Amino acid sequence: EIERRLVGNLEDFSVESNRLWSSTMYRLEDTPFNLRTIPWEYEQFEKEVNRDGVLKECLPKLTKFPPPPSNFDFGRVPTWISKIAGEGDREGGETAALKILEDNLANEIRNRKSLSIAPWSIGPWLELGCLSPRLVKEQILKIATKLTQERLRTLNTELILWDFFRFISLVKSIMNIEAHLPKESKSIIP
């Protein structure tokens, strides 16, 4: 509701706005359904997204930021290093995730053996928003000619599966909230 009102106010002043969504490969508005009509079976979801979904390009990387105000104190910039079961320390951030993806893809091409590279081995980075599934797809497409068609389909399926679970989790969360609202309240699902 807040976002809807904000966008409406911006439109009153002829200011264009775009939502930034990076936790799934497809934005919900780029799929053939909305939260009310989303298929609950993965096969139907995949079929409709592959047929009618629009996959947008990633936004270009920012190469330069404006300087912060002179009185701005960054403080201590946090880092994210985590122990992943049996794998030791892992560094956080997009750069680290892309390095893992790149290494795994290079390994797969060199050994001609399919590895689990997307999205599961980079799941923590996807989950925390350090890496977008759309960027993973772009990285995979850069080396597509070196992978088999079957492997490309598998990687695409894994990324669409990621989207499916993210969207279904969102719907279930909203349904749970609505179940606890007073009966006279209107639905919060657009």
Side-chain angles (χ1 to χ4, degrees):
E1 178 62 31
I2 294 169
E3 180 182 1
R4 202 175 359 250
R5 289 191 345 224
L6 176 63
V7 168
N9 287 340
L10 290 171
E11 286 172 354
D12 291 345
F13 293 99
S14 300
V15 175
E16 183 183 335
S17 66
N18 290 307
R19 288 179 53 221
L20 177 63
W21 178 268
S22 64
S23 67
T24 56
M25 191 165 57
Y26 289 91
R27 296 182 325 166
L28 186 60
E29 54 267 21
D30 297 330
T31 66
F33 33 75
N34 60 41
L35 288 177
R36 292 218 173 273
T37 61
I38 193 166
W40 286 86
E41 295 82 27
Y42 172 73
E43 290 80 12
Q44 187 65 31
F45 178 90
E46 181 183 28
K47 182 173 132 188
E48 290 185 37
V49 165
N50 279 332
R51 185 186 63 222
D52 300 323
V54 177
L55 186 59
K56 302 256 170 113
E57 290 183 17
C58 288
L59 295 173
K61 279 191 174 200
L62 293 175
T63 55
K64 187 176 179 184
F65 290 96
S70 59
N71 62 349
F72 187 77
D73 178 18
F74 280 103
R76 186 176 163 270
V77 178
T79 59
W80 181 74
I81 295 182
S82 165
K83 291 220 183 271
I84 297 177
E87 296 187 34
D89 290 341
R90 286 289 176 105
E91 187 178 342
E94 181 182 85
T95 304
L98 287 174
K99 177 79 171 111
I100 289 169
L101 179 64
E102 181 183 306
D103 290 350
N104 285 346
L105 285 168
N107 232 356
E108 181 168 323
I109 291 166
R110 189 172 38 258
N111 299 329
R112 300 213 175 275
K113 180 179 170 189
S114 293
L115 304 170
S116 176
I117 58 171
W120 318 122
S121 66
I122 52 174
W125 291 270
L126 289 168
E127 182 66 30
L128 293 170
C130 301
L131 187 61
S132 80
R134 199 173 309 147
L135 183 57
V136 171
K137 173 86 173 203
E138 283 187 5
Q139 296 302 309
I140 290 168
L141 290 177
K142 284 181 183 177
I143 55 123
T145 57
K146 298 176 183 177
L147 297 171
T148 66
Q149 287 295 62
E150 180 183 343
R151 186 60 180 140
L152 283 172
R153 275 192 304 276
T154 300
L155 293 170
N156 190 59
T157 297
E158 289 177 356
L159 289 168
I160 292 173
L161 190 61
W162 179 269
D163 282 12
F164 175 72
F165 284 118
R166 297 296 285 193
F167 288 135
I168 291 298
S169 295
L170 177 62
V171 171
K172 290 297 281 178
S173 296
I174 292 172
M175 290 171 68
N176 188 37
I177 292 168
E178 286 183 340
H180 294 88
L181 291 175
K183 297 279 187 232
E184 63 276 0
S185 296
K186 68 179 192 174
S187 173
I188 59 175
I189 295 180

